[in-house]
Amino acid sequence: MNAKMQAAHQRAADHAHHATRVAWLERERPTWSDGSPVDSPARNEMLRASRHYLATGEGFNHCHCVLRCGN
């Protein structure tokens, strides 16, 4: 796989991750993988960032919540 193909694969994976994260956070009471609730400030910031990424393809493409959300 060349660099261009790797980059396209990573963008597709990032897009899928952010789409899944938005769906998870839009549920009525999202919880972390350990069952604890996601607090409102964290939820709002992750939604803002993921929606921005999905709309523009710009911004971070590494999720820092992966240890807690399990995705």
Side-chain angles (χ1 to χ4, degrees):
M1 184 181 303
N2 65 30
K4 190 173 185 177
M5 290 171 59
Q6 286 177 331
H9 180 75
Q10 185 62 54
R11 280 191 301 277
D14 293 340
H15 189 276
H17 170 79
H18 287 288
T20 299
R21 190 165 88 162
V22 166
W24 164 61
L25 291 168
E26 286 180 337
R27 293 190 310 199
E28 188 173 334
R29 287 182 215 109
T31 59
W32 296 110
S33 62
D34 66 2
S36 62
V38 178
D39 63 53
S40 290
R43 181 183 188 191
N44 293 339
E45 177 57 24
M46 288 188 293
L47 277 170
R48 183 203 60 75
S50 285
R51 287 175 176 152
H52 176 76
Y53 184 84
L54 291 170
T56 67
E58 297 174 351
F60 72 92
N61 61 0
H62 176 73
C63 175
H64 299 286
C65 75
V66 75
L67 297 175
R68 293 193 72 196
C69 74
N71 288 325

